[in-house]
Amino acid sequence: MTTHYLVLSALLFAIGAVGVLLRRNAIVVFMCVELMLNACNLAFVTFARQHGNLDGQLIAFFVMVVAAAEVVIGLAIIVMIFRTRRSASVDDANLLKY
Amino acid sequence: MNGTTIPAPTIEYALLAPMLIVFGAAIVGVLVEAFFPRYLRKSVHVPLTLLALAGAFLMTVLQVVREGVPTTPSAMGAVAVDGPALFIWGLILVLAIVSTLLINDEDQFVAQAAAVPGSADEEEAVRSGYAQTEVYPLLLFSVGGMMLFPASNDLLIMFVALEVLSLPLYLLCGLARRRRLLSQEASVKYFLLGAFSSAFFLYGMALMYGYAGSLDLKAISAALGTVSGQNTLLLAGTAMLGVGLLFKLGAAPFQAWKPDVYQGAPTAVTALMASTVLVSAFGALLRVFWVALGNLDWDWRPVMWGVAILTMVVGAILAITQTDIKRMLAYSSIAHSGFILTGVIATGAFEQNQGALSAILFYLAAYGFTTVGAFAVVTMVRDAGGEAGHLSRWAGLGKRAPILAGIFAFFLLAFAGIPLTSGFFGKYAVFSAAVAGDALPLVVVGVVTSAIAAFFYVRVIVLMFFSEPAADGPTIATPTIGTSAVVALAAAATVVLGVFPQPVLDLAGEAASALFIR
């Protein structure tokens, strides 16, 4: 039964990863990263069920806390660059190259 | 309420004291930000930061001298303070102290990060003499994370440490005072790619947990022998953990962030990242791949071969085409990660692992000091708009500032691995360990790429000493005491490790003698 959840988690992770690579807006890219982290949480909880121990559920809480901290830092950085450039597109930020 | 009692966990506070001091000082630093008037903050932060780092270093040394190296993991098996971890702690703390002196140097950081570049707000912030003193607590949090990262005996702790070390660095990268657009861009790029890679690390953790039912490195190692029929989980998990760790090192093909971030970040922060993060990330990589996945080396070694070769080649070849000094040093750092990776691959019998581990530790010490020194020199060569990054501006620097150019040339020779510099013994130690570990082709690639790398280091030296200085060439900033101390210390370390490497080699050998705690 738990296999379905693992497949769902892998799908969510893949959707997130593809989103990071294809989307242009930094906020959307960041949302896709959060989607990947949540896919990891789903996998942790499913594996916890499979193994019959609570470690996985515990880890999910840690991941949520880390993700929250990451949101704080990430939004600060994205807002900073948006205010400077009036755009949050990752394509516009192209001064550093070669 | 069935009457069962939960046993209280035991924490070895004395053993973890160095880390606790650093984190404690970071929290005090946050309180200083909150409660002290603006004009006092810097004069409180600087001694606090330096004292905390020095105190933590002292505790690390005392631990080793008084009680020797522990043989069991601490904090209920979550943290392993073993020989390599203690060596890495000492190294990270010393490099962090040196980088703090550099960070402390006058106005490299933005007056107010929230003010839009070029706006009236920014002008006012500059005029009022504001300073973004949050730099110091951020640095301490990051250093604390760097200490925990290679010492974690559990993948969950390792993930948390990875984030604790990365998140403050993302912010620090965006705080340059001049060329703020570049700095902010570096920050965004580092953040998005860093978050992406840690998501991979986390999914790798999830798959490992699915495989072994635990995230304890020892339990994963034990599961390798007992769990069967789950190889997909194991191999996919290993690969994804590897992606997360190799990203932090800047190993190819995950090196794209490194030149951008190193160029855009304030140079003092680049010095910190280039030295301590590399040390910390190699510690963690070694721990995961040797302790948890040591028995799987037939599966990961071929991939690691490819990564090492690609890293050395990409680093050395792309460095040739660079026109910016910081970007060039970034590619050089990528090439050096490749050289150190040849040591990671050289696993085998116990003595051979010892040899390889002590070689890697020595290389990290040698490279760390030289790279801090090189970036310190970069902060001193300035144009009207800040640092003179473009290589053409460095032409004829040898005539303008012979001592500075001479020291920089010496650092470049150390990067190239010329005898009588620390880089030579580092490369020699790592490559001989790789030969002992049956990785001769890797050593051949390593030597060839070292030769290619030597070309672009020497090119900069030729440019500095044998070209005519431009009429409107860069000015050499009068170095503050801190910056001069950093350059002197880095040069001294490069000479001493190149002429009398034996004490540090012995120390690294001692640290590696029992390998990692299992």
Side-chain angles (χ1 to χ4, degrees):
Chain A
M1 252 331 266
T2 50
T3 322
H4 299 322
Y5 292 98
L6 291 179
V7 171
L8 177 63
S9 136
L11 269 176
L12 286 174
F13 188 83
I15 293 170
V18 169
V20 170
L21 298 173
L22 296 183
R23 298 305 294 260
R24 290 287 164 258
N25 189 309
I27 298 271
V28 180
V29 170
F30 185 45
M31 275 166 56
C32 290
V33 171
E34 293 293 312
L35 186 61
M36 291 166 77
L37 295 186
N38 284 320
C40 297
N41 270 350
L42 183 58
F44 272 121
V45 174
T46 312
F47 282 129
R49 175 92 180 162
Q50 258 184 17
H51 287 294
N53 64 25
L54 285 175
D55 291 5
Q57 300 193 20
L58 190 83
I59 294 162
F61 281 109
F62 273 84
V63 175
M64 281 184 219
V65 173
V66 167
E70 211 168 64
V71 167
V72 173
I73 305 275
L75 288 185
I77 293 174
I78 295 170
V79 167
M80 174 179 76
I81 200 154
F82 175 78
R83 278 161 51 102
T84 306
R85 294 173 171 274
R86 289 282 136 213
S87 133
S89 164
V90 287
D91 280 354
D92 288 350
N94 60 357
L95 293 169
L96 291 163
K97 52 189 167 190
Y98 314 121
Chain B
M1 301 302 148
N2 50 11
T4 51
T5 50
I6 300 171
T10 52
I11 309 278
E12 290 79 351
Y13 289 103
L15 211 52
L16 304 176
M19 235 163 20
L20 297 177
I21 290 174
V22 172
F23 281 126
I27 291 167
V28 174
V30 173
L31 294 177
V32 169
E33 275 305 316
F35 293 113
F36 276 60
R38 205 180 279 276
Y39 64 92
L40 266 181
R41 283 181 203 161
K42 191 167 175 181
S43 46
V44 177
H45 275 311
V46 177
L48 177 71
T49 308
L50 288 174
L51 274 178
L53 293 173
F57 180 70
L58 200 71
M59 290 301 284
T60 311
V61 175
L62 275 181
Q63 165 65 32
V64 178
V65 173
R66 280 219 305 246
E67 295 173 37
V69 175
T71 48
T72 48
S74 325
M76 308 301 284
V79 181
V81 187
D82 46 15
L86 284 166
F87 185 91
I88 287 173
W89 282 9
L91 186 57
I92 288 178
L93 287 166
V94 173
L95 290 170
I97 291 172
V98 177
S99 308
T100 309
L101 294 177
L102 203 59
I103 283 173
N104 187 30
D105 195 10
E106 30 99 39
D107 61 339
Q108 311 173 48
F109 290 96
V110 66
Q112 195 170 26
V116 176
S119 67
D121 280 353
E122 190 190 29
E123 262 173 49
E124 195 185 326
V126 171
R127 217 180 20 251
S128 331
Y130 285 5
Q132 204 76 52
T133 42
E134 284 86 350
V135 171
Y136 298 96
L138 286 175
L139 173 130
L140 283 173
F141 275 121
S142 185
V143 169
M146 284 177 211
M147 291 169 72
L148 184 56
F149 192 38
S152 36
N153 200 28
D154 186 299
L155 286 176
L156 176 61
I157 306 292
M158 195 173 269
F159 173 69
V160 173
L162 173 72
E163 294 295 321
V164 172
L165 96 81
S166 311
L167 294 177
L169 280 181
Y170 300 147
L171 289 176
L172 285 174
C173 285
L175 295 181
R177 189 179 192 88
R178 300 179 193 81
R179 304 196 178 132
R180 287 188 60 196
L181 286 184
L182 293 190
S183 177
Q184 294 183 348
E185 186 180 322
S187 182
V188 169
K189 284 182 172 171
Y190 194 16
F191 169 71
L192 288 177
L193 292 175
F196 190 46
S197 81
S198 45
F200 273 90
F201 185 83
L202 191 64
Y203 206 74
M205 265 171 66
L207 296 181
M208 270 310 172
Y209 174 65
Y211 174 77
S214 165
L215 284 177
D216 192 63
L217 296 185
K218 196 175 148 196
I220 292 173
S221 175
L224 290 181
T226 52
V227 181
S228 59
Q230 301 277 2
N231 276 339
T232 322
L233 281 182
L234 175 64
L235 294 178
T238 307
M240 291 176 117
L241 285 178
V243 169
L245 291 166
L246 290 170
F247 174 87
K248 275 289 152 215
L249 302 178
F254 316 108
Q255 91 293 3
W257 62 276
K258 215 169 192 178
D260 285 0
V261 173
Y262 278 24
Q263 187 190 353
T267 309
V269 173
T270 312
L272 178 79
M273 282 195 291
S275 53
T276 49
V277 174
L278 198 72
V279 175
S280 174
F282 263 107
L285 181 84
L286 283 167
R287 195 179 287 281
V288 169
F289 278 87
W290 285 18
V291 175
L293 304 169
N295 293 329
L296 197 69
D297 65 336
W298 282 104
D299 290 296
W300 59 257
R301 209 149 29 150
V303 181
M304 207 64 102
W305 268 62
V307 170
I309 292 176
L310 196 64
T311 309
M312 290 188 279
V313 170
V314 165
I317 290 183
L318 288 184
I320 296 176
T321 62
Q322 299 308 312
T323 53
D324 185 279
I325 190 87
K326 280 164 86 181
R327 279 186 94 78
M328 195 204 82
L329 289 175
Y331 277 107
S332 136
S333 152
I334 293 170
H336 281 279
S337 327
F339 298 143
I340 305 176
L341 276 176
T342 58
V344 177
I345 292 160
T347 54
F350 187 76
E351 295 78 27
Q352 193 179 307
N353 285 352
Q354 276 179 342
L357 183 56
S358 74
I360 293 170
L361 293 177
F362 180 82
Y363 199 122
L364 289 171
Y367 177 73
F369 282 106
T370 313
T371 197
V372 171
F375 281 111
V377 174
V378 172
T379 62
M380 285 197 267
V381 182
R382 293 190 191 159
D383 258 342
E387 286 155 12
H390 202 273
L391 265 180
S392 63
R393 308 286 296 157
W394 286 60
L397 198 74
K399 298 195 172 92
R400 231 172 245 272
I403 299 176
L404 193 71
I407 292 175
F408 193 65
F410 180 63
F411 288 144
L412 291 177
L413 291 177
F415 284 143
I418 306 294
L420 292 183
T421 62
S422 58
F424 172 73
F425 282 105
K427 277 212 179 95
Y428 177 77
V430 169
F431 286 161
S432 57
V435 171
D438 294 329
L440 193 63
L442 267 186
V443 176
V444 173
V445 176
V447 171
V448 170
T449 46
S450 297
I452 299 174
F455 165 74
F456 64 78
Y457 295 129
V458 171
R459 198 185 58 163
V460 176
I461 297 175
V462 169
L463 187 75
M464 285 193 302
F465 285 96
F466 302 105
S467 335
E468 278 310 304
D472 59 339
T475 52
I476 309 302
T478 325
T480 57
I481 298 170
T483 310
S484 335
V486 172
V487 174
L489 202 74
T494 311
V495 175
V496 170
L497 292 182
V499 182
F500 304 109
Q502 206 54 47
V504 179
L505 277 175
D506 287 346
L507 194 64
E510 193 72 29
S513 61
L515 292 185
F516 294 100
I517 292 178
R518 275 168 196 275

